[in-house]
Structures are given as structure tokens and as C-alpha cells.
Amino acid sequence: MRRLLKLLAVVPKLGIDNAVAVALYRLALRFGVHPVQRLKVTTPGNSFFSLPSILTADNLEVVGAWKTESRYFGWFCEPIGKTAPDWMRNPLTNARSSLGGRPWWVIADFDGQLGDIKGVWEVSRFEWVIPFAQRAARGDAESLQRLNHWLADWAKENPTYLGPNWKCGQEASIRILHLATAALILDQLKNSSQDLLALIKAHLE
């Protein structure tokens, strides 16, 4: 009853139209009839970017983070290992989501054991794509290899629309922004790889 009263108190602030739209959206998800629940897109491949034909001048500044250590939320740092990150782990609590294979719409917004889900989302925002691409644009083949490996691992461990990293459209948009910026840095806007286009298409859907 208390929860219902709280919801009713919010309705005037949202507006009747918005409140009805949210209610219909949630009902459609609950009964499995929303169009987004029928989306099926695959993101195979492991070659998203390549070295540019003309390398960037060495005197251009490169983002310092994500070379020997990761940086979450701009301040929380951990050493980068030889493998890709654990995409289901919250580095702030060291807890790990066990819902990687479940459709995003059945995953709860809050999990007391996991902590704030934004901790899991942080590394999947692809902030690391930018410095990897910047170094690759200077001819750093190791950074290019790491960029492609991490993206391939992310796509493998986060099948389209399954798991917590597909739960938020805004998070998907942030990933697209970073991927598009990397394509600009590496001069691959007009000759993007099929793997990159497939990954972006899955997010746009």
C-alpha cells in the first residue's frame, strides 16, 4: 500500500501521459509482448579496427589512462591484466553478477549483494576504447590488438540483449559514442569493418 501511494504521488510530477506510457511499457515487458523482446541480432567477429593508412603525429596528446592500469569513474584504479576485464564484476565491491545469460528485461534494477549496477556498467562504457585507438593511430600494434581482443571478448561475454550490460539504452549510447570516436581517430568512418558495423547495429536496434 505504501509503495502504491508513493507511485501515485509521482504521477502528477511526471504527467499523466508519461505515467501511462511507462505503465504500458512495463506491462508489455511483463507479458512478453513488447517488440524489443523479439530482437535477435548477433555480433560475431574479432576484427573491429585496423591500423590507419596514415599514422598520427607523435606529438599529439594521448589519454594517459588505460595503459598499465584501468581507471573507473576517473579515480578508482586497478592494474590491467593480460586478459580482458571481467565484464560482470563490480570493481568497487568486487561482487559479480551471475545474470550474464538472462534477458535484460528480467534483471532487477537493484541488487543489494552486487551494489550499484553502475559499477558493473562502468568498464562496459568503453572509455578504454579511446586511448587504445589513440595509441593504435600512432602505430602501436599492441594497443590495436588489445582493442580488438577486448571488444571481441565483450561481444562474446555479453551476447546481444542478454545480461546487465544490455539493460540501459543510455549505456548502449555511450558505447556507440566511444566506438564512433575510435573510428574517427583511426580514420575508419567511411571504411568501417563489418564487425564494427554489426556491433553498432546491435546497439542501435
Side-chain angles (χ1 to χ4, degrees):
M1 186 65 180
R2 183 178 298 177
R3 184 179 180 185
L4 178 60
L5 291 174
K6 286 183 178 180
L7 288 174
L8 291 175
V10 171
V11 170
K13 298 177 182 178
L14 288 176
I16 297 296
D17 291 347
N18 290 328
V20 170
V22 170
L24 291 175
Y25 169 74
R26 292 191 173 183
L27 282 172
L29 288 181
R30 175 167 293 186
F31 289 102
V33 295
H34 198 286
V36 299
Q37 294 170 297
R38 297 193 293 273
L39 289 176
K40 294 189 183 299
V41 179
T42 58
T43 56
N46 54 20
S47 181
F48 300 91
F49 293 102
S50 58
L51 289 177
S53 56
I54 300 176
L55 299 181
T56 300
D58 287 343
N59 60 351
L60 293 180
E61 185 177 355
V62 176
V63 175
W66 297 97
K67 188 169 186 180
T68 58
E69 63 181 13
S70 56
R71 183 179 297 173
Y72 304 107
F73 302 104
W75 63 271
F76 184 80
C77 300
E78 290 183 328
I80 291 180
K82 294 182 179 180
T83 59
D86 182 346
W87 310 108
M88 298 297 153
R89 172 177 167 264
N90 182 345
L92 302 179
T93 62
N94 210 32
R96 190 178 188 278
S97 173
S98 60
L99 304 175
R102 303 194 66 185
W104 62 265
W105 61 83
V106 302
I107 297 174
D109 293 332
F110 304 101
D111 183 337
Q113 294 183 339
L114 183 65
D116 191 331
I117 197 170
K118 288 191 289 295
V120 174
W121 287 346
E122 174 66 5
V123 72
S124 289
R125 289 170 173 159
F126 289 5
E127 177 187 341
W128 42 269
V129 165
I130 303 301
F132 288 1
Q134 288 176 317
R135 295 183 188 110
R138 291 181 164 191
D140 185 346
E142 184 178 347
S143 289
L144 178 70
Q145 183 181 18
R146 178 175 281 178
L147 173 60
N148 282 321
H149 171 64
W150 282 26
L151 287 173
D153 190 75
W154 189 91
K156 176 184 175 184
E157 298 298 325
N158 294 274
T160 45
Y161 319 132
L162 300 178
N165 287 315
W166 285 103
K167 188 162 176 58
C168 177
Q170 180 172 285
E171 297 296 318
S173 299
I174 292 172
R175 288 197 284 273
I176 291 175
L177 289 172
H178 284 137
L179 291 171
T181 302
L184 178 63
I185 292 170
L186 293 168
D187 192 27
Q188 288 162 36
L189 286 177
K190 295 182 179 180
N191 58 340
S192 302
S193 72
Q194 291 303 307
D195 290 343
L196 176 61
L197 293 176
L199 184 60
I200 291 177
K201 180 183 178 182
H203 283 75
L204 293 175
E205 290 286 348

